[in-house]
Amino acid sequence: MNDGPQGFRDDQHPATTIAWPSGLTMAASWDEDAVLEWGKGMGKEFYAKGSNVQLGPGLCLARIPRNGRNFEYLSGEDPYLGYRLAQPAIRGIQSQKVVANAKHWVMNNQETARDSVSEEVDERTRYEMYYPPFEGAIEAGVGSFMCSYNKINGIWSCENPETLKHDLKEVLGFKGYVMSDWGATHSTSIMAGLDNEQASADWMDDELISAELAAGVTTQAAVDDSVTRILWSMFSVGVMDEPVSTWDFINLTKNVTSDVASDSARHLSAISTVLLKNDGAILPLPKGKRLAVIGKADNKAIVHAGGSGSVVPSFVPWPLDGVRGAAGQGAKVEFNDGSDTEAAAKLAQAADYTIVFIG
């Protein structure tokens, strides 16, 4: 298995995979066919790198604007949008014989104090607002879920019997397995609905599970159910149909980028860019004019966020270069990064048009 929700993260071999558009970018497309293409493209690279589980897509709702992981999540602010888009994303990834991982279950809506916060959410709100994107994933046959760091109504997400065992598995009918986020396990939680601990075995090693079986705290039936769920995901997606060499660690060293994949990522990014307003038909800008470009448009442009969702791109076309290339013959393109607001304002006043990059 490997990170992450918008492409294969390989910090050991940077620039050997495509930095695909983020989940939130794809949500802005409102395009199921585009999301299917996105899923297939990512899944193909995971397969080529020898990874049979993609730790994505991220599906949580954007409930807190400053949440550091909003960029990862495919649902935006709309549970129905998440429900619809989760399905082609899962189908696309798993069409490449790679198990998708729907995360983070559930109510993982902030990074601040994520290891201690308790999300207080009643049953109706959970089912109407937070569960629909994950329901879409289940309907698409997703093989795995990842439970989150936070507490839910005072109980850790990865040992919460109400949200894991009851809601997810019994009510929503999820057939696959639940893994913990890295270090999010606080007990041997098999009876509560957790099937797999990541990335260590602090709570789910042979000795602890054997001791709980002997004491009657954990049942053999629950252990068997966890094993069955893990195997079901691998067999249903087709992981076990492939030669063992497909999943060899040596494949990690491969450069799996291609012109086709790069063009797809560029296309998906473009169709996800939404024009909300065009007062006075000001766009497209005429060529050959004096243009002021202000803000993070040079090599400081933010093209990807960090953490498990980061991918080192093989190439980045900086926005400033794009403006210069499209400005036309006779155009004058001047740049200010915005750190000197007085100079930036003067530049904007002198220009025919000003393009501002914010964020």
Side-chain angles (χ1 to χ4, degrees):
M1 65 178 63
N2 203 84
D3 288 331
Q6 46 253 332
F8 192 98
R9 178 189 180 190
D10 189 351
D11 296 337
Q12 293 178 305
H13 311 95
T16 59
T17 56
I18 296 294
W20 294 88
S22 71
L24 191 59
T25 300
M26 293 308 303
S29 75
W30 295 71
D31 189 325
E32 291 166 298
D33 291 336
V35 174
L36 179 66
E37 179 182 336
W38 180 65
K40 285 181 176 179
M42 292 189 295
K44 185 175 182 180
E45 292 193 349
F46 274 76
Y47 180 94
K49 281 280 193 178
S51 175
N52 52 39
V53 179
Q54 176 177 346
L55 296 176
L59 300 177
C60 291
L61 283 183
R63 299 287 276 170
I64 298 175
R66 297 182 66 183
N67 176 23
R69 302 189 83 162
N70 278 343
F71 78 99
E72 294 185 21
Y73 293 141
L74 185 58
S75 303
E77 298 175 283
D78 187 339
Y80 183 67
L81 178 66
Y83 167 78
R84 292 291 295 267
L85 295 187
Q87 296 176 59
I90 299 300
R91 290 199 304 270
I93 293 166
Q94 296 192 163
S95 72
Q96 306 302 303
K97 300 191 175 182
V98 172
V99 177
N101 180 252
K103 64 181 192 179
H104 300 82
W105 180 265
V106 63
M107 278 84 79
N108 187 180
N109 301 107
Q110 66 182 63
E111 285 292 274
T112 304
R114 69 179 186 177
D115 295 320
S116 58
V117 68
S118 179
E119 306 293 349
E120 305 297 311
V121 186
D122 62 54
E123 181 182 56
R124 178 174 179 176
T125 305
R126 291 200 308 271
Y127 277 91
E128 291 184 0
M129 293 298 296
Y130 294 98
Y131 288 179
F134 294 96
E135 289 183 72
I138 292 168
E139 290 182 17
V142 68
S144 66
F145 265 58
M146 182 185 291
C147 53
S148 50
Y149 289 112
N150 54 285
K151 295 177 182 178
I152 302 163
N153 298 331
I155 303 173
W156 295 111
S157 175
C158 289
E159 58 182 47
N160 192 310
E162 185 174 15
T163 55
L164 279 182
K165 190 172 185 296
H166 179 265
D167 293 357
L168 179 60
K169 292 181 174 180
E170 295 176 1
V171 178
L172 299 182
F174 174 54
K175 295 180 180 179
Y177 69 100
V178 178
M179 68 174 73
S180 72
D181 206 337
W182 269 227
T185 311
H186 299 270
S187 65
T188 306
S189 311
I190 295 174
M191 296 302 291
L194 182 65
D195 302 300
N196 177 263
E197 179 183 10
Q198 293 294 343
S200 59
D202 295 332
W203 296 99
M204 284 190 170
D205 65 4
D206 294 346
E207 291 184 8
L208 285 171
I209 293 175
S210 296
E212 292 210 353
L213 286 169
V217 177
T218 296
T219 65
Q220 186 63 53
V223 174
D224 291 346
D225 180 64
S226 292
V227 172
T228 300
R229 288 172 175 276
I230 294 170
L231 292 175
W232 174 84
S233 74
M234 298 172 76
F235 278 99
S236 67
V237 171
V239 171
M240 305 301 279
D241 297 336
E242 300 304 285
V244 175
S245 60
T246 304
W247 316 118
D248 195 305
F249 192 73
I250 192 64
N251 293 323
L252 184 66
T253 62
K254 293 179 180 178
N255 185 332
V256 300
T257 61
S258 68
D259 290 342
V260 171
S262 181
D263 289 345
S264 174
R266 171 67 178 82
H267 166 70
L268 294 173
S269 296
I271 65 174
S272 298
T273 303
V274 180
L275 178 63
L276 297 180
K277 226 174 185 184
N278 193 18
D279 287 345
I282 195 170
L283 297 178
L285 298 178
K287 294 183 180 294
K289 297 295 183 178
R290 183 177 180 180
L291 304 178
V293 179
I294 297 172
K296 294 182 178 181
D298 58 354
N299 60 6
K300 296 182 180 65
I302 299 171
V303 297
H304 231 272
S308 60
S310 65
V311 179
V312 178
S314 57
F315 170 73
V316 177
W318 302 114
L320 181 59
D321 293 336
V323 172
R324 285 171 174 158
Q329 188 174 3
K332 183 177 182 180
V333 179
E334 298 170 283
F335 173 68
N336 184 292
D337 66 7
S339 57
D340 184 338
T341 55
E342 186 175 338
K346 288 182 180 178
L347 181 62
Q349 289 174 344
D352 296 318
Y353 298 96
T354 300
I355 304 171
V356 182
F357 286 81
I358 302 173

